Amino acid sequence: MGQVFCCVQVDQSTVAIRETFGKFDDVLEPGCHCLPWVFGTQIAGHLTLRVQQLDVRCETKTKDNVFVTVVASIQYRAIANKASDAFYKLSNTRGQIQSYVFDVIRASVPKLELDSVFEQKNEIAKAVEQELEKAMSAYGYEIVQTLIVDIEPDEHVKRAMNEINAAARMRVAANEKAEAEKILQIKRAEGDAESKYLAGLGIARQRQAIVDGLRDSVLAFSVNVPGTTSKDVMDMVLVTQYFDTMKEIGASSKSNAVFIPHGPGAVKDVASQIRDGLLQATTQD
């Protein structure tokens, strides 16, 4: 209907290319324009000024002979004051951009090993962007942003990399576990040593208390019972302790059978043996 009344509408973020008898005439901005078609004027086409995105998948080989697929995302748009160049100079803009991306990636990645490709993906993206800006500006296009969004090694390589990482983490975990066990054993040994030291102090104090108690008992008995000697008192104390011990053994439900000499004459031998054993232990201490 607009062509009948010689009027045409150009949408926002779009420009129209006007030709007169097949020759470029002007670039029409968004809005309504008079188009006297009777004088050979017509719209050759429209060109969007919006930012467009092209995802390019490029397979190449690294320096250490690993095949990877690099996915680059190119964001570009036509320059308004170069709309005629963008419209007439390129017939396949996306194909042209893709060719430049292939060229730069396949020139950059083979110089790097696989780990370096991951580490230097920003440098690769920058190299692609610089090459595209230099090439596409002559055709009326601006490169807004270039991103390396993915680097995909071969499936076998990815599996091997995951196994390497898993082994490294297991090695670290094993070292940490061994260190923890080492610390635990050291602490256990220190605790055992401290326990034995304290137990030794307790035994020594116990023996000292027994000796002091026996000495006081002997002195008190000698004073209260005239005519008795220290040897008599010690024999009586030892025999008393001996029978107390036998009573405790008999009262225990878990004690084993103990065979001892019995009879009136054996008491003296028991007292002598106990006394000699204690004296030897005291001498050794």
Side-chain angles (χ1 to χ4, degrees), residues 120-130 146-148:
Q120 302 184 25
K121 72 182 189 68
N122 291 334
E123 285 75 7
I124 297 173
K126 187 176 181 180
V128 173
E129 183 174 342
Q130 290 175 348
T146 300
L147 303 172
I148 301 296

Side-chain angles (χ1 to χ4, degrees), residues 256-277:
N256 295 325
V258 178
F259 295 95
I260 59 173
H262 59 88
V267 173
K268 182 177 180 180
D269 294 336
V270 171
S272 177
Q273 293 176 10
I274 295 174
R275 183 175 61 252
D276 293 342

Side-chain angles (χ1 to χ4, degrees), residues 3-46:
Q3 292 287 348
V4 175
F5 294 100
C6 300
C7 293
V8 66
Q9 174 184 316
V10 180
D11 297 332
Q12 184 66 34
S13 298
T14 305
V15 294
I17 305 299
R18 185 175 70 185
E19 294 179 348
T20 302
F21 294 110
K23 182 180 179 181
F24 171 72
D25 185 17
D26 195 8
V27 176
L28 303 182
E29 300 291 336
C32 184
H33 299 271
C34 181
L35 198 69
W37 57 271
V38 294
F39 297 107
T41 304
Q42 63 177 358
I43 297 297
H46 294 79

Side-chain angles (χ1 to χ4, degrees), residues 113-125:
E113 294 184 352
L114 180 60
D115 292 339
S116 299
V117 173
F118 284 94
E119 295 171 358
Q120 302 184 25
K121 72 182 189 68
N122 291 334
E123 285 75 7
I124 297 173

Side-chain angles (χ1 to χ4, degrees), residues 48 50-56 71-78 94 97 142-147 149:
T48 180
R50 295 188 179 95
V51 176
Q52 302 179 69
Q53 179 168 310
L54 172 63
D55 292 330
V56 180
V71 181
S73 180
I74 313 300
Q75 299 174 357
Y76 65 99
R77 65 184 173 191
R94 301 173 72 87
I97 293 176
E142 173 190 8
I143 304 301
V144 179
Q145 185 74 29
T146 300
L147 303 172
V149 297

Side-chain angles (χ1 to χ4, degrees), residues 44-168:
H46 294 79
L47 184 67
T48 180
L49 301 180
R50 295 188 179 95
V51 176
Q52 302 179 69
Q53 179 168 310
L54 172 63
D55 292 330
V56 180
R57 298 178 62 88
C58 177
E59 185 179 16
T60 184
K61 186 176 70 171
T62 63
K63 186 177 181 180
D64 47 353
N65 296 322
V66 177
F67 281 92
V68 295
T69 299
V70 181
V71 181
S73 180
I74 313 300
Q75 299 174 357
Y76 65 99
R77 65 184 173 191
I79 303 173
N81 56 6
K82 293 184 177 181
S84 59
D85 293 338
F87 186 80
Y88 287 106
K89 287 188 175 181
L90 284 179
S91 60
N92 186 357
T93 305
R94 301 173 72 87
Q96 185 80 357
I97 293 176
Q98 181 173 313
S99 297
Y100 280 108
V101 172
F102 281 171
D103 181 66
V104 176
I105 290 179
R106 287 174 176 168
S108 302
V109 173
K111 299 177 182 178
L112 305 173
E113 294 184 352
L114 180 60
D115 292 339
S116 299
V117 173
F118 284 94
E119 295 171 358
Q120 302 184 25
K121 72 182 189 68
N122 291 334
E123 285 75 7
I124 297 173
K126 187 176 181 180
V128 173
E129 183 174 342
Q130 290 175 348
E131 185 66 23
L132 284 175
E133 284 180 348
K134 182 172 61 176
M136 298 305 294
S137 61
Y139 298 108
Y141 282 93
E142 173 190 8
I143 304 301
V144 179
Q145 185 74 29
T146 300
L147 303 172
I148 301 296
V149 297
D150 197 8
I151 300 173
E152 301 176 358
D154 182 75
E155 188 64 31
H156 297 289
V157 176
K158 287 198 292 185
R159 189 180 300 111
M161 293 174 65
N162 291 334
E163 291 177 356
I164 292 173
N165 290 332

